[in-house]
Amino acid sequence: MLLIGSHVSFKSNDQLAGSVKEAISYGSNCFMFYTGAPQNTRRCEISYDLTLEARNLLYDNNIDLKNIVIHAPYIINLANNSKKESYEFAIEFLKEEINRASMFGVDKLVLHPGSYVSLDIDTGINNIINALNEILTPNQEVKICLETMAGKGSEIAFDLHHLKRIIDGVKYNDKLMVCLDTCHLNDAGYDMTKFDDFLDEFDNIIGIDKVACVHVNDSKNVLGAKKDRHENLGYGTIGFDALINVIYNKRLENIPKILETPYVSTIEGGKDRSYAPYKFEIESIKNKTFNDNLYNDIRNYYNNID
Ligand code: ZN
Ligand code: FE
Ligand code: FE
């Protein structure tokens, strides 16, 4: 079955119930959310009632909790221990994030492995391993899904061998999975237009059974640019057909495909507005037809409903 969805918001007033409603409005059967703002670590208390409401909505809409993904905030950096307090904070925060995920019943937590900043790459990789060895416990249900990164700045995990080294160094590595991001992979130098070759390579190095989810994004930059700027499907350098091949690849069937493509912005009456593209991108994925009028369709649709 095609599992397609997007990143959705999580707001303190309606929490997971709001996220589920947003996902349903896009025609999704899977989705990803941050448990608060992606760029900070302030987190609200999880409401039992709203979580129950969310579970009922999921049930009524045939969405399996197994296909919901949480993304850890991207400021969490396990690779850099030059400031002891921040490194320890990141470790404690991730332990709590694992607890939050299990309170929602979500078992996939996507994590950017980290950036080595002023250290070097081997030290950075070792810091990630040590942190994960402190965080992971043998009986947890939640899997940490290490994301493939673009290699921007000092980011680790732009090379599959980095992920392999991390997995090999971690004691409870059955709790580790991988999240593939097509924009990041392109920017790291992996050609997404030859996706089956990429999957062969991934299978050789890491093992295809480790893929937990896929972030499907086009890229604003060329192969190997080491940039990380997402683009709407078919509007970037990877292209619509290549991304359709990723989404419908038989070897990744039953794995959630999550869009993190950019919002479409406009200025209306002097006000900046931006709209989620996901309803329209998901439609074009389902019909396997590129929408060359995406931006206008989105603006027209959202102008008419508010
Ligand atoms: Zn990510
Ligand atoms: Fe991603
Ligand atoms: Fe990205």
Side-chain angles (χ1 to χ4, degrees):
M1 187 174 70
L2 171 67
L3 288 172
I4 186 73
S6 71
H7 152 77
V8 297
S9 59
F10 177 94
K11 297 184 189 105
S12 54
N13 62 325
D14 55 6
Q15 300 195 359
L16 189 60
S19 309
V20 178
K21 286 176 198 159
E22 184 180 341
I24 292 166
S25 78
Y26 302 147
S28 306
N29 56 3
C30 65
F31 64 88
M32 179 175 81
F33 67 101
Y34 291 82
T35 61
Q39 69 278 12
N40 71 42
T41 53
R42 259 174 285 127
R43 293 297 179 259
C44 65
E45 204 177 311
I46 297 170
S47 148
Y48 175 82
D49 289 346
L50 290 169
T51 306
L52 190 66
E53 186 190 338
R55 296 240 190 162
N56 289 331
L57 279 169
L58 290 171
Y59 182 81
D60 292 343
N61 288 277
N62 277 311
I63 301 177
D64 193 333
L65 260 176
K66 292 273 164 229
N67 298 323
I68 299 176
V69 179
I70 290 177
H71 201 308
Y74 45 70
I75 53 150
I76 286 295
N77 186 2
L78 300 183
N80 182 7
N81 67 347
S82 53
K83 276 197 209 114
K84 274 275 163 296
E85 321 82 71
S86 340
Y87 183 66
E88 286 305 324
F89 177 81
I91 290 171
E92 288 314 308
F93 183 88
L94 265 178
K95 289 182 187 170
E96 286 165 27
E97 192 79 336
I98 288 170
N99 287 334
R100 272 188 289 271
S102 51
M103 286 201 253
F104 291 121
V106 168
D107 71 353
K108 292 175 189 66
L109 175 58
V110 170
L111 174 73
H112 293 182
S115 297
Y116 58 84
V117 194
S118 57
L119 306 172
D120 60 82
I121 195 156
D122 293 323
T123 310
I125 288 175
N126 281 329
N127 286 336
I128 296 168
I129 291 171
N130 293 336
L132 289 171
N133 276 330
E134 220 180 292
I135 292 162
L136 298 174
T137 56
N139 297 319
Q140 68 183 67
E141 293 284 330
V142 179
K143 307 276 199 292
I144 291 198
C145 309
L146 303 170
E147 184 163 350
T148 60
M149 301 308 291
K152 185 178 65 182
S154 64
E155 261 171 13
I156 292 166
F158 60 85
D159 184 321
L160 297 181
H161 293 95
H162 298 164
L163 292 174
K164 168 73 173 159
R165 282 170 63 187
I166 296 168
I167 293 168
D168 284 348
V170 168
K171 184 171 181 203
Y172 301 122
N173 60 11
D174 58 315
K175 312 298 174 198
L176 292 179
M177 301 281 283
V178 175
C179 168
L180 303 176
D181 184 310
T182 54
C183 166
H184 299 173
L185 285 164
N186 170 82
D187 290 16
Y190 293 102
D191 190 349
M192 294 292 100
T193 67
K194 302 187 177 75
F195 192 63
D196 271 296
D197 295 347
F198 167 77
L199 281 185
D200 289 341
E201 188 178 349
F202 186 92
D203 196 32
N204 283 329
I205 299 169
I206 294 170
I208 200 150
D209 52 320
K210 280 285 192 196
V211 179
C213 61
V214 183
H215 289 169
V216 182
N217 302 306
D218 213 327
S219 174
K220 286 192 197 295
N221 291 287
V222 294
L223 186 67
K226 301 247 156 81
K227 286 281 210 292
D228 187 5
R229 293 195 61 209
H230 302 189
E231 183 54 284
N232 296 104
L233 301 198
Y235 289 83
T237 61
I238 302 174
F240 188 77
D241 294 343
L243 292 165
I244 285 290
N245 277 327
V246 171
I247 293 164
Y248 286 93
N249 192 288
K250 279 272 169 267
R251 288 195 274 177
L252 299 180
E253 229 184 341
N254 304 317
I255 289 183
K257 316 291 180 330
I258 310 278
L259 300 165
E260 300 175 303
T261 47
Y263 273 46
V264 172
S265 48
T266 53
I267 298 171
E268 281 151 32
K271 271 211 224 131
D272 282 331
R273 303 289 303 267
S274 66
Y275 301 117
Y278 307 124
K279 174 183 158 58
F280 289 88
E281 287 185 311
I282 288 170
E283 234 163 59
S284 71
I285 289 165
K286 288 178 180 170
N287 332 316
K288 301 186 187 178
T289 314
F290 175 59
N291 182 352
D292 61 5
N293 202 36
L294 181 72
Y295 300 135
N296 283 325
D297 283 354
I298 293 168
R299 287 175 187 132
N300 291 336
Y301 177 78
Y302 288 103
N303 280 336
N304 289 333
I305 64 170
D306 37 66

